[in-house]
Amino acid sequence: MKYKSQQVAYWFFALAMLLLVLQIVYGFIMGFARVGHDVLHDFIPFNTARAVHTNLLVVWLLTGFMGAAYYIIPEEAEEELVSVKWAYVQLISLALVGVAAIVGYHFNYWEGRKFLEIPRPLDYLVVVNVLLFLGLILTTLFKSKKRTTTSLVLTMGLVFAALLYLPGMIWFDNQTIDSFFRWWVVHLWVEGVWELILGGILSFLLIKLTGVDREVIEKWLYVIVGLTFISGILGTGHHYYFIGTGKTWLIIGGIFSALEPLAFLGMVLFAIAMYRKGEKKHPNKIALNWTIGTAIVAFVGAGVLGFAHTLPQVNLYTHGTLVTAMHGHLAFWGAYAMIVLAFISYAMPNLTGRKLYESTRGTYAFWLSNIGMLGMTVAFGVAGVAQVYLERKMGMDFGDVQNEIKVHFVVLILCASMFATGIILYILDFARYGRPTTEALEAPRPALH
């Protein structure tokens, strides 16, 4: 069964794709600046480009999560969204907040707190926007008599993500206290409640794509949620090592940060086991590739690479270097960007009635973007190790070190070009075939066979 209100998800996905393109553009601006071609410096200095790049990442991923929720909740609850009109109002207000923030960055109107640079007045608009979103989702669930573990875990992740935004709005004059609570937002989002959102979406996709019994998949989901809370919450301590907090965090943060890969390993085993156990094969191989790829790349990027440099003895040298960028790029790509693209690949054929999964372009998009991102990760890693050795072991000046590692950013730009090509191919398919059609509402879903 399909629900007409699910079509609102398309416009959230469209906004997410637009913001993703902008994020890539600003990434290239920074890349060329690092190799000496900073021709836009007078208009877009490096610090502005970086703030826009990182904050666009957060906004487009949240937009994708919202779109996925607007698709999943009606289907899981077997109930139409309570108000499509207000969902569009929420979308428009979200877009306006994003535009205002980007314009503000270019006029140096920002908070200056990494990942939370959004100007303070816009914080209140974000809160109103998210409350409207949660109101629509929760009202739809309460209206329905059906509750599923998948929808509850997804909703729980969305609610906690909203609540954890609030500590970042509190202003502290003390830098250490301010940084302490800032990590409540940044870390407990990406290594805590966002993993619940990831788990909910992954569970939904595996149920639809593998044909494995819902009860089996949702039992695995409980395991992932448990591992996420045990490791992710206390693992926040690895951000507290060097900001002036007590030495206790060296022990707590070190131990529980080391346990964080277990949640992602469980996710890999979960996804692959469900795929192998599935007796029915869904024709949408592209969505399946993105879904399985999410678990694997998330484990490598967030789990393995995170473990590689967050132990106190290692992080003493790698903190604030390009080694962090190595981990961050592959982690965000694998854990969150890929699951949004996986969901779009699954949802669009159902909303349009068109077999987008038969597109050769979609297959190229998957491989080019992933190979390009792996290349970028290696380039960041090599540059980061060189930076740590030259700057923090040999004692070279920061500026001299940046000149020495400039060559690695040439490689980075080449790999980023491959990545961008894959994303462009993906968006071409989305733009050409992704628009929902009225006929698709009555059309049957792709059959499992």
Side-chain angles (χ1 to χ4, degrees), residues 283-337:
N284 194 338
K285 295 295 189 295
I286 292 176
L288 188 61
N289 286 344
W290 283 107
T291 302
I292 303 299
T294 293
I296 295 171
V297 179
F299 172 62
V300 176
V304 176
L305 295 184
F307 173 79
H309 89 108
T310 53
L311 292 175
Q313 299 87 339
V314 178
N315 198 241
L316 175 66
Y317 297 99
T318 61
H319 186 78
T321 69
L322 291 166
V323 173
T324 304
M326 168 198 71
H327 158 58
H329 276 73
L330 196 63
F332 270 107
W333 170 248
Y336 303 120

Side-chain angles (χ1 to χ4, degrees), residues 170-178:
I170 305 172
W171 182 264
F172 298 97
D173 292 329
N174 183 288
Q175 178 64 40
T176 297
I177 297 176
D178 185 74

